[in-house]
Amino acid sequence: MKIIMLGAPGAGKGTQAKMIAEKYGIPHVSTGDIFRANIKNGTALGKEAKQYMDQGLLVPDELTVKILLDRVAQEDCAGGYVLDGFPRTIPQAQVLDEALGKQNESIDYAVDVDVPDENIVKRMSGRRACLKCGATYHVEHIPPKQEGICDSCGSDLVLRDDDKPETVQNRLKVYHEQTQPLIEYYTQKGILRTVDGTMDMEEVFRAIVAILG
Ligand code: ADP
Ligand code: ADP
Ligand code: ZN
């Protein structure tokens, strides 16, 4: 099964994608996580991506598409995957569709996690991330067992550089301009499914499982 997660920054795509990956036994592929791992390791790709990410802008399509296509060509993705944070533009979606089409494959579902802008800024300021293993928490809604420490790997949790309120406003603007058109794109293809992302984490997941089967 091949699934795309759509939704504003902070809507809960990553949180749900991890739960989907576990339940269905498929890899969770996050372009944001790949970029952050590269930044952490000081690679050339990381340095390039960081310039855009810190401003709340999208990393250019060329760079992002290459990284994503390389990742899904790996063996562990042969049985499907859940994409979190890709595609974010119509050209990215088109390149993905073309690449899949060549192998007579296609995306099964695009799941839109719908959360109004008003809720987003609050979610982002409370988000805490583990840069080592990619786990995500929320200081109020989804706290780690021990404050500031990752449950999964014991590393320190951080507020991401791009989760500051000023940057979040930019990211929301970019989302509405460049990413939201994908909702229409996947509606046209007949594979868009929308879930109410304002419910608690388990309820959102139940709604998604009802769709995926
Ligand atoms: P969030 O989960 O909060 O939406 P991500 O971790 O998915 O954030 O992405 C963080 C940043 O990484 C984005 O703001 C953007 O700069 C960059 N990025 C991630 N995925 C893409 C993509 N598909 N295209 C362009 N930029 C991307
Ligand atoms: P995205 O990947 O869409 O940017 P995340 O999954 O990282 O979003 O979630 C953003 C923040 O909101 C995180 O701090 C996360 O712990 C929290 N969160 C995720 N789902 C919910 C939910 N259903 N209710 C409340 N908070 C949530
Ligand atoms: Zn961790």
Side-chain angles (χ1 to χ4, degrees):
M1 185 153 52
K2 298 188 192 67
I3 303 156
I4 287 172
M5 304 302 292
L6 292 177
K13 300 180 297 296
T15 301
Q16 296 300 325
K18 286 180 191 115
M19 294 163 85
I20 294 169
E22 191 172 348
K23 182 174 168 76
Y24 295 94
I26 51 180
H28 165 217
V29 174
S30 157
T31 38
D33 283 352
I34 296 172
F35 289 139
R36 279 185 291 278
N38 275 275
I39 292 172
K40 192 160 177 273
N41 295 327
T43 69
L45 166 67
K47 289 197 181 100
E48 169 99 33
K50 187 170 170 33
Q51 298 171 12
Y52 299 96
M53 291 168 74
D54 282 351
Q55 299 179 64
L57 300 174
L58 295 184
V59 177
D61 284 343
E62 264 175 44
L63 197 62
T64 309
V65 160
K66 183 176 182 308
I67 282 153
L68 190 276
L69 292 183
D70 284 352
R71 177 65 190 90
V72 298
Q74 286 169 25
E75 212 174 315
D76 64 326
C77 287
Y81 41 77
V82 50
L83 298 186
D84 160 21
F86 186 100
R88 261 181 157 95
T89 64
I90 297 274
Q92 289 182 12
Q94 288 168 336
V95 173
L96 177 64
D97 280 344
E98 278 163 30
L100 289 173
K102 281 184 196 151
Q103 295 159 314
N104 279 324
E105 292 176 6
S106 60
I107 297 295
D108 297 291
Y109 292 108
V111 177
D112 178 32
V113 183
D114 188 27
V115 175
D117 287 8
E118 302 86 83
N119 305 30
I120 294 289
V121 179
K122 199 161 166 263
R123 279 213 188 164
M124 304 292 248
S125 59
R127 171 154 67 180
R128 294 294 178 274
C130 173
L131 296 182
K132 187 162 184 218
C133 76
T136 305
Y137 304 86
H138 190 282
V139 288
E140 277 171 50
H141 307 301
I142 306 169
K145 291 196 186 75
Q146 197 187 336
E147 200 188 317
I149 306 289
C150 178
D151 290 354
S152 317
C153 77
S155 301
D156 289 339
L157 298 177
V158 299
L159 174 66
R160 276 168 40 182
D161 287 342
D162 59 345
D163 279 353
K164 288 172 289 187
E166 319 84 83
T167 316
V168 169
Q169 292 297 349
N170 275 344
R171 291 165 66 197
L172 275 173
K173 189 161 170 276
V174 166
Y175 168 74
H176 289 299
E177 288 172 4
Q178 302 194 50
T179 307
Q180 215 170 12
L182 290 173
I183 292 179
E184 180 57 26
Y185 180 91
Y186 289 113
T187 299
Q188 292 287 330
K189 294 199 176 286
I191 59 169
L192 187 88
R193 302 291 184 274
T194 304
V195 295
D196 175 1
T198 63
M199 304 183 293
D200 73 32
M201 175 173 98
E202 267 79 24
E203 280 176 275
V204 178
F205 188 57
R206 267 197 292 279
I208 292 176
V209 170
I211 292 164
L212 302 181

